[in-house]
Amino acid sequence: MLLIDCPWCGPRDEIEFHCGGQSHITRPEPFDQVSDEEWGRYLFYRINPKGVHYERWAHDAGCRRWFNVARNTRTHAILATYKMNEPKPDLSAEGRA
Amino acid sequence: MGRYSALRVLTEGLKGQTGWGPAWRSVRPKPRYDVIIVGGGGHGLATAYYLAKKHGVTNVAVLEAGWIGGGNTGRNTTIVRSNYYYPQSIALYDLSVKLYEKLSVDLNYNVMFSQRGMIISAHSRHDMENAERLVRGMQINGLDVRMMDRAEIAARVPALDCSPNARFPVWGGFCQDRAGPARHDAVVWGYARAADSLGVDIVQNCRVTGFRKNETGRIIGVETSLGDIACDKAAIVVAGHSSELGRAAGFELPITSYALQAFVTEPIKPTLDVVSWSLATGVYISQSDKGGLVFGGALDLYPSYAQRGNLPIGNQVIGAIADLYPSFGRVRLLRHWAGIVDVVHDSSPIIGESPVPGLYMNCGWGTGGFKAIPAGGLLLAHHLATGQPHPIAEPFQLNRFHTGALIDEAAGAGIAH
């Protein structure tokens, strides 16, 4: 069971949340000059690392707000939670699992 | 090692069981192969087998980081079926069911494919409408599925609570009679033994760490924990670790890896002689030949490489089983595990060329790879040997993620799979 530290509500059980996948994805612009390959990459391609993953979560059963989680996909250890508009924390010291 | 037969069992019995050898050789890799398959699960071994058997390409190595069949092939719930929605999927999965039907004879190894039938129960008017839509679609595409009423389901699945007061009342459902479980280890060992006897080298405890390319970017070899090995072509057939291997080769994939849990109970007397699947809860259950109830349900919906399930989903799956089959509620759980599955957006596989010339892949099966082992192997072997995708594999190329020609089984079948 994950204990997720919502930046708004504090630590809560994982059943209150759902994961929205990889975070920090930027929509390609301008839209009328984006190739099919780039759209496909934006919509479907993901880093999917075995190690530190920066991902979005929503606190469905709490504040219902989105935020970011840095989590190790091999151990499930949560390394940081931070607000949607904050930059990625530097976790290079944690390394890739 | 010789063919297996009833006569052989008899003569070995008379000789004190002294003539059985290992089913496949334990080898050190050669410096060069025509084709290197990365991943010794069902799909990888089947690819090697069909390369040798159908295309005469025998200078082939299967490199496995752990032991063969120790990944998802040893972690699934062994159901083989083809009740998918879209015509491209039915062509693919029904090819696999048909290959499974002949597999024991083909491999000279009993894979125990038991076509006991799969019954999918509907638990509301909306479930029934969805079931009708699925069944009519499958029938139009030539698949032998049929609707069932509540009385027939109650007779075929006595353990399922079909009473009016059930937590999930049964309204009806549908059935594929040719579906059923096969023995997962036997599929792996059968393909390994048959491929080995055709000259394929199976190398266990050999982890692929990188890929070597020439100046044009074409693949010329792989880097492994046992040293560099040269090859003309290579194929990545590693399910949940496809993204990691793809990254090692220099490209990303439209894949997210999730943990999928499975459960088995203590062995009990025969009580369930079909595969039973519930539309409302997404859980399914069958009874193994040893007597254990084997069941599973939804994915743990956050990316994971941990090979263990989380408690909330486990709780949900076990709770649904106990509600649907009240008499199973007191059976004790024996084991619980998870495999790492490679999920793509449309829940359909990728079988064909990767962005790197000479490097191929077979991945994206998500939660449903076991049923497709013979087809995945046959189709990738065709592409490796001829340079062209097999007509059945043509819709399942990587380029569909930018052409938009998705085969959206995630929405089509309306069930987790």
Side-chain angles (χ1 to χ4, degrees):
Chain A
M1 178 81 83
L2 301 180
L3 189 64
I4 300 174
D5 192 9
C6 171
W8 309 95
C9 310
R12 302 285 186 93
D13 275 354
E14 72 175 82
I15 54 169
E16 296 188 9
F17 300 85
H18 92 265
C19 181
Q22 184 183 325
S23 197
H24 305 289
I25 297 174
T26 310
R27 189 175 193 268
E29 298 285 358
F31 71 89
D32 55 350
Q33 286 168 35
V34 176
S35 68
D36 288 351
E37 282 78 7
E38 279 177 87
W39 276 128
R41 198 157 290 280
Y42 163 67
L43 287 170
F44 302 122
Y45 282 65
R46 297 295 177 257
I47 301 169
N48 193 28
K50 185 174 186 173
V52 179
H53 189 230
Y54 299 90
E55 57 197 16
R56 298 172 302 177
W57 285 73
H59 194 183
D60 295 340
C63 60
R64 304 193 58 187
R65 293 207 227 197
W66 285 92
F67 60 98
N68 290 311
V69 175
R71 186 177 58 91
N72 187 318
T73 58
R74 190 153 86 168
T75 62
H76 293 178
I78 292 173
L79 307 168
T81 58
Y82 54 104
K83 290 177 185 168
M84 214 61 213
N85 55 358
E86 289 175 351
K88 268 184 207 182
D90 180 18
L91 297 168
S92 48
E94 307 287 339
R96 286 167 49 77
Chain B
M1 75 214 69
R3 281 184 64 79
Y4 294 157
S5 64
L7 180 65
R8 181 98 188 273
V9 171
L10 188 68
T11 54
E12 286 296 339
L14 295 172
K15 291 193 295 183
Q17 315 290 355
T18 51
W20 304 108
W24 59 86
R25 297 162 296 137
S26 186
V27 295
R28 296 284 300 180
K30 292 190 282 192
R32 191 198 154 274
Y33 290 94
D34 293 342
V35 179
I36 287 177
I37 312 284
V38 183
H43 281 273
L45 292 163
T47 306
Y49 169 71
Y50 292 114
L51 269 174
K53 174 88 183 296
K54 288 210 176 289
H55 303 282
V57 183
T58 56
N59 187 22
V60 175
V62 177
L63 308 182
E64 166 55 46
W67 65 95
I68 60 168
N72 289 355
T73 319
R75 291 169 182 269
N76 63 88
T77 45
T78 77
I79 310 300
V80 176
R81 61 185 179 88
S82 60
N83 46 5
Y84 281 71
Y85 188 66
Y86 290 103
Q88 301 94 321
S89 310
I90 289 177
L92 173 66
Y93 291 105
D94 214 45
L95 167 69
S96 204
V97 171
K98 284 172 181 154
L99 288 167
Y100 262 117
E101 286 171 343
K102 302 257 164 52
L103 198 57
S104 293
V105 174
D106 188 18
L107 299 179
N108 180 230
Y109 203 100
N110 186 2
V111 301
M112 302 185 191
F113 182 33
S114 161
Q115 294 177 286
R116 58 187 67 174
M118 173 174 183
I119 293 174
I120 294 150
S121 47
H123 305 276
S124 65
R125 188 165 64 83
H126 312 290
D127 268 7
M128 281 302 280
E129 285 171 0
N130 189 23
E132 288 273 5
R133 170 180 155 276
L134 291 171
V135 166
R136 301 308 167 215
M138 292 176 200
Q139 287 174 339
I140 286 168
N141 292 324
L143 200 70
D144 53 342
V145 291
R146 61 192 172 87
M147 293 298 294
M148 280 183 135
D149 61 18
R150 189 175 77 169
E152 191 180 358
I153 291 180
R156 290 286 302 278
V157 196
L160 181 63
D161 186 357
C162 293
S163 69
N165 297 325
R167 168 68 183 82
F168 297 103
V170 175
W171 283 54
F174 65 101
C175 177
Q176 184 179 26
D177 290 301
R178 291 185 300 131
R183 169 108 176 93
H184 55 93
D185 286 333
V187 173
V188 171
W189 298 336
Y191 271 119
R193 175 173 168 272
D196 177 88
S197 73
L198 295 169
V200 171
D201 281 357
I202 296 164
V203 189
Q204 304 186 80
N205 298 310
C206 178
R207 179 177 296 275
V208 171
T209 52
F211 295 87
R212 295 174 55 220
K213 302 176 195 171
N214 66 11
E215 62 284 355
T216 66
R218 198 190 152 78
I219 211 86
I220 53 167
V222 302
E223 296 160 6
T224 79
S225 53
L226 298 179
D228 292 357
I229 308 172
C231 65
D232 289 344
K233 291 177 178 176
I236 298 174
V237 193
V238 297
H241 281 70
S242 296
S243 296
E244 286 290 310
L245 266 292
R247 195 161 11 257
F251 57 87
E252 284 188 348
L253 286 167
I255 288 177
T256 303
S257 297
Y258 294 101
L260 177 64
Q261 311 192 34
F263 309 80
V264 63
T265 70
E266 60 188 334
I268 56 174
K269 287 183 178 179
T271 181
L272 180 66
D273 63 357
V274 296
V275 181
S276 178
W277 189 317
S278 153
L279 272 183
T281 61
V283 301
Y284 56 94
I285 187 164
S286 64
Q287 189 169 22
S288 77
D289 293 340
K290 206 160 72 179
L293 297 166
V294 182
F295 60 96
L299 286 169
D300 296 6
L301 275 174
Y302 46 81
S304 174
Y305 286 84
Q307 287 193 326
R308 57 185 154 80
N310 71 14
L311 285 171
I313 294 290
N315 196 26
Q316 187 185 317
V317 172
I318 293 166
I321 292 288
D323 276 335
L324 287 159
Y325 315 89
S327 62
F328 297 167
R330 297 186 59 170
V331 180
R332 282 170 296 189
L333 208 58
L334 196 65
R335 285 193 304 280
H336 162 230
W337 64 93
I340 301 306
V341 298
D342 44 343
V343 175
V344 296
H345 208 80
D346 61 355
S347 287
S348 288
I350 302 164
I351 314 165
E353 290 168 1
S354 82
V356 174
L359 183 59
Y360 295 71
M361 57 198 177
N362 170 4
C363 59
W365 294 96
T367 61
F370 178 78
K371 69 170 79 68
I373 284 173
L378 186 86
L379 298 174
L380 187 64
H382 180 97
H383 204 150
L384 280 162
T386 66
Q388 294 296 322
H390 188 285
I392 290 177
E394 229 163 307
F396 297 97
Q397 302 302 305
L398 184 61
N399 66 6
R400 72 176 189 270
F401 294 97
H402 65 255
T403 64
L406 301 182
I407 304 152
D408 198 357
E409 286 295 340
I415 43 178
H417 58 133

